[in-house]
Amino acid sequence: MVSTSPRLAKGLIVKLKQADRRPDATRSVVRLQAAAMSTESMQSARLRMASVARRHGVNYLVQRPTAFAAQLIHSGKLEPFEQAQAEAEQLRADPDVEWVIVNEVAHPAGVISPGFNDPAYEQQTWLHQRETTLGGRQGVANIAPAWGAMIGKTISPVVVAVLDTGKLPAPDLDGRMAQGYDFVSEVEYSDDGNGLDDDPSDPGISPEKIRDPALRTGCSAAPLQWHGLRIASMLGAQAGNALNGVGILAPVPGPVVLPVRVAGMCGAELSDIIEGMLWAAGIDYQGSPPRNLQPARVINLSFGGDGSCSDSGTHDAAWLYRDTIKTLESKGALVVASAGNGSPDNWLGLATPTRPASCPGVLAVTALNQQGYKANYANLVDGTQQYGLAVAGGDMVMTRDANNQPVYTLVDDGIVALADQGTDQGIDTKPLGVYEMQAAVGTSFSAPTAAGVAALMLAVAPDLTVAELRNALVTHIAPFPTVFPAALPVCQPGVNAQGNCVCTTQTCGTGVLDAYRAVNWAMDQASGAASGAVTVASSDSSCFRPNRLGGGSSCSDGDSGGGGGALDTLSLLALLAACLTSMVMAAGVWRGAGDVRGDRG
Ligand SMILES: [Ca+2]
Ligand SMILES: [Ca+2]
């Protein structure tokens, strides 16, 4: 267990003696004090704090009340622990001070290793290193090298809200889910027997309703459940626990996914989405449930609807979205939305993204196939007009059988993520509580990769604003593949029904999401850490033995995607973690690619 980060602190927690009297010695000292409330006015406490600090030459910019009826003071920046300790000593000598505690934030209390033993890691190719060869994985987001780069860094907790179909109690997500809320207000569609409530569980759909569309009043499309579970597992599945999933946010401490259930049997209502978005970011509104105490910095919406998001000068749905997104931005929450999956008639992409991906301020994410070309179904995003990028979402082709029914065939690895086995005629129904890895396809599964990378950036640089985060994501990208099969057309802006084509900045956003570049940029900006921060340490797994660093390792080819050619050490560590995983794989723990089942969403 190695920590290379210096010991850091963010100011001091200072408890002043009571203003009106000496501490009451007759009271029991073992009473809980965390919830104590000061009887002193805020203004008076502020003034006393200021004069105490002035007497001892201690400077600070920020002062706020905190638990234990104490006050937190800090400069807004991290400082060396020793410096804070020295200031604490000064203040402790003051007769007006009861106690002082250094607000230490970075210490190796938790060790999170990217040395995975999660058996399906090797199948989760969307997490792996980007390749640059023709036919190689040029569409993936370079996640593993980004994890490698985070070794030894201070990592703050960060919450990503998944506004979706709700959560399931998959063991791989134990401890990774915040409480969440159910915003599906319509009882008929919620299928959980009530409207709004504090249980965001995904109840699934009864097989009867799946078989008989007449029982699904008002539903226009076949329902797809476990959608929220798949996305939550992409973001938060624990690494290194010998269970299948590995999420993008695996190296981040604490609960990382906030399940906000907004989609029921028939999709998601605008008002439920808007309320869910506000609540997710910790914003009160008229009639809101109790405030969300684990506000999200990133809000993932892997769905979209028809209708433009442009300003018509009236109070309409577009206005609701625009205003809500602006409000979220003011609270520090970035909205990431999928660009949509084209027309169900032909499974080919449309010329514009669905709403809310089309709204100003949203990061719109469209899908590439694994090789880095536009996926068949992926809607276009004009990266010269809005914030947008692209990343692997899996690819499928649609053909029709003798009865003119659509038949979908997976044409790459898809996005292998966690799902429940409860199915009925190929459509997910009620949960069985039996989990497996399944391949899914759609821009739904591109958006969370971008949301996860945004969260990794916030984990290393929690002070980034939404604008900084969004700008960095769309500029610290990898270029679209420029070497391509001669038969593949170039994507044409403004044109509907395009299948696989060669992306341009006018058709697939500014480029391919690149976690390695984006996270490295964020680490360069890092100026602070949030409470609960830990240091990611390396592990000493067998993959790190020198004999595996020599020639003959199948895991050590390719460049790091951002390191200028040769592999840097940290990227190599991430690759070697993959080596370890493939050794576990060879023992036959995973059920094998034959079990992968295709889904689209
Ligand atoms: Ca409910
Ligand atoms: Ca796992």
Side-chain angles (χ1 to χ4, degrees):
M1 297 187 183
V2 183
S3 168
T4 56
S5 284
R7 201 174 175 194
L8 298 170
K10 194 160 187 180
L12 305 170
I13 304 164
V14 183
K15 176 75 186 290
L16 298 179
K17 285 177 183 160
Q18 291 182 58
D20 49 348
R21 52 186 174 154
R22 310 301 296 172
D24 188 347
T26 64
R27 289 190 185 163
S28 165
V29 293
V30 295
R31 278 184 313 130
L32 291 173
Q33 294 181 64
M37 307 287 270
S38 175
T39 54
E40 186 179 10
S41 79
M42 205 98 102
Q43 178 67 3
S44 164
R46 196 178 288 274
L47 291 172
R48 283 208 299 143
M49 186 67 248
S51 67
V52 165
R54 202 178 311 115
R55 283 202 285 277
H56 302 279
V58 173
N59 297 312
Y60 59 85
L61 285 176
V62 178
Q63 181 262 352
R64 64 171 175 83
T66 184
F68 295 88
Q71 301 181 58
L72 179 65
I73 56 170
H74 63 79
S75 63
K77 300 266 181 210
L78 283 178
E79 58 187 332
F81 177 85
E82 291 74 12
Q83 183 184 326
Q85 182 75 285
E87 291 178 339
E89 279 306 316
Q90 291 286 313
L91 297 190
R92 283 185 190 118
D94 193 283
D96 216 4
V97 170
E98 190 164 339
W99 49 254
V100 183
I101 296 170
V102 174
N103 190 28
E104 187 176 359
V105 289
H107 52 85
V111 176
I112 301 162
S113 166
F116 304 129
N117 60 354
D118 312 72
Y121 176 69
E122 200 56 32
Q123 273 64 41
Q124 293 179 277
T125 52
W126 53 276
L127 286 165
H128 293 190
Q129 182 178 23
R130 186 171 186 269
E131 296 167 351
T132 53
T133 51
L134 177 63
R137 290 177 189 142
Q138 298 195 60
V140 301
N142 240 353
I143 305 285
W147 284 333
M150 290 166 70
I151 291 171
K153 304 296 181 185
T154 299
I155 310 294
S156 296
V158 58
V159 173
V160 179
V162 173
L163 271 70
D164 217 284
T165 61
K167 69 169 186 179
L168 289 179
D172 219 353
L173 286 163
D174 274 358
R176 306 292 284 169
M177 305 285 278
Q179 171 59 39
Y181 206 83
D182 175 11
F183 284 89
V184 180
S185 54
E186 175 56 54
V187 178
E188 189 180 345
Y189 301 155
S190 72
D191 257 19
D192 68 347
N194 57 33
L196 270 69
D197 70 288
D198 63 4
D199 179 4
S201 295
D202 183 345
I205 297 172
S206 69
E208 295 72 34
K209 284 183 177 172
I210 292 287
R211 281 191 285 266
D212 184 0
L215 295 173
R216 309 197 302 265
T217 321
C219 295
S220 57
L224 180 71
Q225 298 305 107
W226 321 146
H227 196 260
L229 169 66
R230 293 166 204 266
I231 289 166
S233 81
M234 285 180 69
L235 287 164
Q238 297 177 63
N241 66 347
L243 293 172
N244 269 318
V246 181
I248 295 165
L249 294 177
V252 177
V256 297
V257 174
L258 178 73
V260 181
R261 184 173 181 244
V262 295
M265 182 173 63
C266 299
E269 293 179 16
L270 175 65
S271 60
D272 294 347
I273 297 169
I274 297 291
E275 290 191 8
M277 288 170 81
L278 289 168
W279 182 85
I283 298 166
D284 292 332
Y285 56 90
Q286 184 173 292
S288 60
R291 183 179 299 173
N292 166 27
L293 298 178
Q294 292 166 299
R297 293 292 312 272
V298 184
I299 296 189
N300 186 84
L301 291 129
S302 280
F303 51 85
D306 298 333
S308 127
C309 206
S310 57
D311 186 355
S312 66
T314 55
H315 289 170
D316 54 9
W319 174 79
L320 267 185
Y321 267 119
R322 293 165 75 101
D323 200 72
T324 300
I325 291 157
K326 255 187 250 171
T327 306
L328 297 186
E329 179 159 350
S330 73
K331 289 285 282 187
L334 172 69
V335 178
V336 178
S338 57
N341 298 343
S343 164
D345 298 334
N346 55 18
W347 192 237
L348 296 173
L350 300 175
T352 53
T354 49
R355 188 172 68 198
S358 58
C359 294
V362 172
L363 180 69
V365 186
T366 196
L368 303 175
N369 66 17
Q370 197 173 107
Q371 293 170 291
Y373 309 113
K374 190 186 87 68
N376 280 299
Y377 55 85
N379 291 349
L380 302 184
V381 171
D382 186 345
T384 67
Q385 298 294 316
Q386 72 170 117
Y387 297 102
L389 45 72
V391 70
D395 208 3
M396 272 180 172
V397 290
M398 189 190 86
T399 51
R400 294 203 177 257
D401 66 12
N403 300 318
N404 204 33
Q405 292 304 302
V407 177
Y408 298 94
T409 310
L410 199 62
V411 293
D412 66 8
D413 292 337
I415 301 297
V416 176
L418 204 57
D420 187 280
Q421 284 189 347
T423 63
D424 183 83
Q425 298 175 5
I427 300 173
D428 304 327
T429 59
K430 289 283 178 190
L432 296 178
V434 181
Y435 300 97
E436 64 182 3
M437 299 303 280
Q438 296 176 358
V441 162
T443 56
S444 280
F445 308 106
S446 295
T449 310
V453 172
L456 286 179
M457 295 164 76
L458 289 167
V460 295
D463 296 335
L464 291 177
T465 65
V466 170
E468 290 169 335
L469 189 61
R470 199 171 43 203
N471 281 327
L473 276 161
V474 298
T475 52
H476 293 78
I477 37 90
F480 294 118
T482 49
V483 180
F484 53 91
L488 209 56
V490 175
C491 305
Q492 297 302 310
V495 176
N496 279 323
Q498 297 181 76
N500 290 142
C501 52
V502 178
C503 283
T504 64
T505 55
Q506 276 180 289
T507 52
C508 306
T510 52
V512 185
L513 173 69
D514 191 321
Y516 182 80
R517 289 184 171 127
V519 169
N520 270 289
W521 174 85
M523 290 191 302
D524 288 344
Q525 319 303 312
S527 62
S531 74
V534 302
T535 301
V536 179
S538 60
S539 76
D540 55 347
S541 73
S542 58
C543 246
F544 293 80
R545 280 189 211 137
N547 64 348
R548 287 199 65 89
L549 290 170
S553 168
S554 61
C555 290
S556 60
D557 56 343
D559 77 44
S560 64
L567 271 177
D568 64 40
T569 310
L570 296 174
S571 300
L572 191 60
L573 291 178
L575 279 175
L576 290 173
C579 283
L580 177 66
T581 308
S582 57
M583 289 190 284
V584 175
M585 283 293 302
V589 182
W590 199 65
R591 296 177 56 192
D595 291 321
V596 168
R597 191 166 65 86
D599 266 310
R600 59 197 191 284

